[in-house]
Structures are given as C-alpha cells and as structure tokens.
Amino acid sequence: MKNKPLNEKKVFVYSSVHVWNDTRIYYKEIDTLLKAGYQVEQMAVETTQQPEFRQNLTQRLFQKGSRFKRFTRWLSIYKAIRQSDAKYYHFHDPELLLLLPILRKKKGVFLYDMHENFPKALETKAWIPAALRTPLAKIVKRMEQRCLKLCDNVIFAETSYKKDYSYVTQRYDDILNYPTYQEALSSPESVEQTLIYIGGIEENRGLWIMLEALKNLKQSGYEDLKLKLIGPIFEADNEKIDVFVSKNGLMSNVERLGRIPNDEIGAHMANATAGLCLLKPIPNYMESMATKMFEYMSAELPMIVSDFPMWSELMEETQSGYSVNPLDNLEVVNAIERLLKSKKLQQEMGANGRYHYEKTYNWTAEGKKLLALYEVATSEVLNESTVYQPTF
C-alpha cells in the first residue's frame, strides 16, 4: 500500500451502518472538527435528507440496503482510505475493526468510536436466533479484543464500557454523548397534553410500554392525550402499531414522524408535556445513559424514565423527572398522570433539568475533549517511516 504524505488537518470519518446525519457523528463530532479548522471526508449511509454544503467537508454516501450489503461498503471504504491523504481515520462500527489488519499497513492515526458494548448487545439482538446469541457474543469478543490492539485510540461513548475493556492499554477517552448546546426554547402559552419519545422505536426501547400506557390513560379520561414518536421504525412494527391503534381507538392520539432533521426536534419538544424513555431492562441499556434524557433536559421537558440504577441516580440528582419500573404498567401510568395533573410540577422539573443541562450535561466540554484527543494523537503518533505490522 503506497503511503502518501499525510495532511495533518484532515480527518476521514467513516461508517458502513450509520446515516450521514447521525447526531453524534455529524452534529457533534464532525461539526466540532470543522469549526476547529479540520478538513473532513465522510463516508456514511444516505437518508431522505439531502446533505448541506459545508466548507472543508466532502461526503460519499452509500445507498440504503439490507445489512448484508455492508460487505460491499467495506470494500468501498477500504479503497477510499487507501487513496486518502488524511492523518486521522475515525470510525464508528465494530464490524470495521475487521479492516484494521490490512489498513494498518497505511500510515495514519486510527480512532475507534465505541457507541455500544457490542458483544453484550449481541446477546439481545432480535434478528439473531436466541440459541446463537451467547456463543456468537463470545466469538465476537475474542475477535474484537485482537483487533482493538491495532487502534491508536479508543473513544468510549459511555463510562460504563471500560469495565469490560480493561485490556485496552492504548490511549482512551470518555467522550460522552451529551446533546449540543442549545439556547432555551420559548414554550407556547397553550400546549396540548403530549408525551414525546425521540430515538429508535422498537419493542426493547419501550414501544409497547408507551402504547399500553397511552391506551390506559385514554380510558381513564385523557381523551385528547397524544403520543408523538420521533425516530425510525421497522416496517413490521409500523404494521403492528396500525393494528393496535385501530383496535384501541388511538388513531388520533399517536403521531409517527419518523426520522426528522435535527433542527426540527426542538419545536416538537417545546410543544410537549413530558418526555418518555422507558427502555426495557436489558444489560446494555441499563449500563448506558440514554442521550434523549439530556435532550429532554435541554428543552425544559420533565421526563418519565426506566428505573435503572444510573438513571434513577440522575433523576435524584437533577429532580427533573420520575424513574419507574418500565414493566409495571400501573407505575408508568401513575407517574405520567402525576405530571399531567400538575402544571407547577411540569415547570419545576423542567427548570431543574435545564439548570443541570447548562451546568454539566451538554456537548461543549465533550467537544473540547475530542479536540484534545486529536492533539494528543498528533504528538504521540509514530513517525512517518513506521507502519504497523499485524501479528495475526
């Protein structure tokens, strides 16, 4: 692999899975790099939203397709990296670790941005047959351990990941997934009673928990209560939702907006009464802090969240919402109803959340950590005459 002179201010950001406007990748990390004067090349998956022109940013987008088409994307990424003169290669998918043994013949700094504890997540993936999940997770963990040795830096999106990655001995940093800083939203004088959820929408993320709660609340007299779902939904789930809302008379109460531009989400939160984050108690969820909780804080939106230990501690610290057992429908409904009945409680919890968001839980400090990581990588990188020689 021919080595070109490296551009010290150029970053190649790549993913075979994430869409180009993924919030963490584009609106936080790429935006931070561009504002700091870096040039950025991005490879990611297209969406219906057209990319915007930004100086010093070039993008190559993959067409949407099944997960089995990812293999062809790997080849495209490999070829593009071979031709790139970027100093830094910042990637976001565990599967792309498999390219490192051949890519490490190229000079440059490789940074793996870990969005989830992948081996642990495999144990609950619905598309994997149940009998294969644990054996597959063990195999993947061994492969991941070997490939991670070829990274220059590892970025953890959650502090909890480190306990399962004690073997990572190279430079690593916690760059947490707090939302970008936004000025306080101005709420309209009159707001319909609306529950809102932002993020991937499926069973393990509380889809049916939210719908059952809405059904019970409507039966209790909240005839006009709305549930607004913002995020991608699998087509099979959409069909099941159609059946559920039709059967229970909720056609006018459930609004599915799908994935919408990041700058439109704030207006929907400003018009909501409470935010929901009722994920099921799956190990990978229980040890992560859902970004949507901090987004709700930014919008002064009180919330109802699952009673995972870390989440309950956050609610106790910030007094910005209630933590409940997501599998206890009555407990969920009662918590929502307490908020619906008290405008004063909504305002107090919303203000508490906004205070802690401004003080601690926003991207500003995390962006500085990202730039510091690049500066350290520059000072520590191997000299240009040296390349990695994989040992497996």
Side-chain angles (χ1 to χ4, degrees), residues 305-339:
V305 307
S306 300
D307 61 350
F308 306 156
M310 293 170 62
W311 298 17
S312 294
E313 288 176 15
L314 181 68
M315 293 301 101
E316 181 66 27
E317 173 204 347
T318 62
Q319 293 294 298
S320 59
Y322 295 118
S323 60
V324 298
N325 179 355
L327 304 183
D328 185 331
N329 185 263
L330 181 59
E331 189 174 339
V332 172
V333 168
N334 286 342
I336 294 173
E337 193 167 18
R338 282 200 297 274
L339 276 176

Side-chain angles (χ1 to χ4, degrees), residues 106-262:
K106 180 185 177 71
K107 292 179 295 183
V109 180
F110 284 80
L111 306 95
Y112 173 43
D113 200 327
M114 188 183 296
H115 293 208
E116 66 176 350
N117 185 329
F118 187 55
K120 189 171 286 187
L122 286 176
E123 296 184 7
T124 58
K125 294 291 187 184
W127 56 271
I128 302 173
L132 298 179
R133 291 173 192 168
T134 298
L136 181 60
K138 290 179 179 178
I139 293 169
V140 167
K141 185 174 183 178
R142 287 195 296 269
M143 294 175 65
E144 184 183 63
Q145 185 170 355
R146 301 178 99 184
C147 291
L148 276 171
K149 294 178 181 178
L150 301 178
C151 295
D152 294 293
N153 300 85
V154 178
I155 297 171
F156 295 116
E158 296 281 350
T159 57
S160 62
Y161 295 165
K162 292 195 295 295
K163 72 177 187 196
D164 290 323
Y165 289 88
S166 58
Y167 57 82
V168 172
T169 57
Q170 65 269 56
R171 172 71 185 238
Y172 62 82
D173 289 87
D174 295 325
I175 298 182
L176 307 178
N177 215 18
Y178 297 153
T180 54
Y181 184 82
Q182 303 290 335
E183 295 296 334
L185 300 170
S186 55
S187 299
E189 290 296 323
S190 177
V191 177
E192 285 186 308
Q193 289 193 320
T194 301
L195 307 174
I196 193 170
Y197 170 86
I198 303 167
I201 300 165
E202 44 101 0
E203 180 177 356
N204 285 337
R205 292 178 179 269
L207 170 59
W208 302 107
I209 293 169
M210 293 186 288
L211 289 172
E212 284 289 340
L214 178 68
K215 180 188 77 172
N216 290 339
L217 284 161
K218 184 167 184 177
Q219 290 172 350
S220 298
Y222 293 91
E223 292 286 334
D224 299 322
L225 179 64
K226 295 186 182 300
L227 173 62
K228 190 174 288 189
L229 302 172
I230 300 177
I233 310 177
F234 289 118
E235 187 57 39
D237 284 330
N238 255 326
E239 293 171 2
K240 292 177 184 177
I241 295 172
D242 288 339
V243 172
F244 185 91
V245 299
S246 177
K247 178 181 177 181
N248 293 286
L250 298 173
M251 289 80 72
S252 62
N253 301 90
V254 177
E255 188 174 352
R256 286 167 275 178
L257 297 178
R259 188 188 291 274
I260 63 176
N262 200 58

